[in-house]
Amino acid sequence: MKTDQYFVLTIVIFISGVLFGTTFLTGYLEIKSEDFFPALVTLIAAFAGAWTAFHLQDQKEIRKEIEENVAHGNEVIAALIDRVNQLYAFRKKFIEDHRQNPYRWLEIRLPQYDMKPNIDIKISNLQFLWAKGNPNLTNMVGKENLSFSIVIDLLNTRTDYYRNNIIPAIDAMRIPPGTKVPYETIRDHLGETVVQNIILHTDNMIENIDDVIESHIKVSKELTKEMKSIFQKNQVKVIEIGDPIEENTTGNDDKKSP
């Protein structure tokens, strides 16, 4: 569009200049073919060169905008994938072996590292969707960003509660190393209030981790599909998320002591 506007403006200026110059120099409007056409050919050649330059510059700017939009979209997809991988790793290491255990609230131990996003999600990077794609995807990505923050808060809340209430209470029992203690004994020692609280924190953490993994995958695939639809005519690479890794979710029902 910019190229066409420049070209039309140049033609208007040229014609106006010819008419004005002829009138100014001769006192009246008279254009002779033997003087006009050679000059016209020269100017048309100049116009063609200028139009080509304008066109190439316009295409360069369009290409740059496309590459920036794709890069921004890919960054959001990469952030979603990274968070899925983080939650997968945590779930596999800490949850899966105890998922079916009724005493999973006690068996699921604490991570020795802080869970936090490696790549920040900037919703503003998806502004191109408002003009060229599905604007609802920006809301969906924003929701996922909030959901991940909630999962981290739930995980940290459980970690803090376990560290401040479960561990000190078990240490106070002074259980000799290697001694097997029935779950029921530990439960009675902790008290019903502490047990119910840690059960609630544990269940909320697991449920939200499962939900966010599923929703992150869904939204990242939707965003990938939308970007491919928008930029399908351009030689650009859109990140794709693979299918979920198969994990052992059978749990471990045979544990009888912590």
Side-chain angles (χ1 to χ4, degrees):
M1 182 62 69
K2 291 182 179 179
T3 301
D4 296 338
Q5 291 174 348
Y6 289 144
F7 186 58
V8 172
L9 179 61
T10 304
I11 292 177
V12 172
I13 293 173
F14 163 66
I15 295 175
S16 301
V18 170
L19 296 175
F20 175 79
T22 302
T23 304
F24 178 78
L25 293 175
T26 63
Y28 56 91
L29 183 60
E30 181 181 1
I31 302 176
K32 297 180 179 180
S33 60
E34 61 270 19
D35 297 328
F36 178 74
F37 286 110
L40 179 62
V41 171
T42 300
L43 288 173
I44 288 176
F47 289 151
W51 184 88
T52 300
F54 284 141
H55 179 71
L56 292 175
Q57 180 62 30
D58 197 39
Q59 291 300 310
K60 182 179 179 180
E61 291 177 359
I62 292 174
R63 181 69 184 182
K64 180 180 179 182
E65 181 182 359
I66 290 173
E67 291 176 349
E68 288 178 350
N69 288 338
V70 172
H72 288 158
N74 280 339
E75 184 177 337
V76 173
I77 296 173
L80 291 171
I81 295 173
D82 181 72
R83 294 177 182 190
V84 167
N85 290 335
Q86 281 185 287
L87 295 179
Y88 261 133
F90 179 87
R91 188 169 73 175
K92 185 177 181 64
K93 182 175 181 179
F94 293 98
I95 296 176
E96 291 307 331
D97 287 343
H98 313 292
R99 181 180 286 273
Q100 304 302 326
N101 190 337
Y103 286 90
R104 64 185 186 180
W105 53 267
L106 182 62
E107 285 287 2
I108 295 177
R109 300 308 172 91
L110 311 182
Q112 302 302 314
Y113 53 87
D114 293 332
M115 286 280 288
K116 58 183 179 180
N118 295 320
I119 307 174
D120 291 331
I121 291 180
K122 299 178 182 178
I123 308 299
S124 60
N125 284 350
L126 299 177
Q127 286 182 344
F128 64 89
L129 291 175
W130 287 90
K132 302 177 181 180
N134 179 8
N136 289 330
L137 274 170
T138 59
N139 295 330
M140 294 169 66
V141 172
K143 181 180 178 182
E144 294 308 308
N145 198 32
L146 176 61
S147 296
F148 186 82
S149 298
I150 292 175
V151 164
I152 297 303
D153 288 342
L154 290 172
L155 194 155
N156 290 335
T157 297
R158 180 187 182 273
T159 297
D160 291 341
Y161 193 85
Y162 196 105
R163 181 179 292 118
N164 296 329
N165 295 274
I166 306 301
I167 293 178
I170 293 178
D171 288 343
M173 295 176 69
R174 300 186 181 278
I175 302 172
T179 303
K180 292 184 178 181
V181 181
Y183 284 127
E184 292 77 6
T185 301
I186 296 178
R187 178 169 185 147
D188 292 342
H189 179 77
L190 292 174
E192 192 62 24
T193 299
V194 172
V195 170
Q196 290 303 318
N197 283 337
I198 192 61
I199 288 176
L200 178 63
H201 292 319
T202 302
D203 291 348
N204 285 340
M205 179 188 70
I206 294 174
E207 179 180 354
N208 279 271
I209 286 177
D210 291 341
D211 289 345
V212 169
I213 287 176
E214 181 179 352
S215 60
H216 266 40
I217 292 174
K218 179 180 178 180
V219 171
S220 64
K221 288 185 175 181
E222 287 290 331
L223 181 56
T224 298
K225 180 181 178 181
E226 186 69 12
M227 288 179 60
K228 283 187 172 183
S229 175
I230 296 172
F231 304 112
Q232 60 185 345
K233 295 181 180 179
N234 305 98
Q235 298 294 326
V236 295
K237 179 65 175 178
V238 179
I239 295 177
E240 294 189 54
I241 183 170
D243 292 330
I245 300 173
E246 291 293 333
E247 296 185 87
N248 174 24
T249 57
T250 58
N252 188 343
D253 297 328
D254 297 331
K255 290 182 176 291
K256 297 301 181 182
S257 61

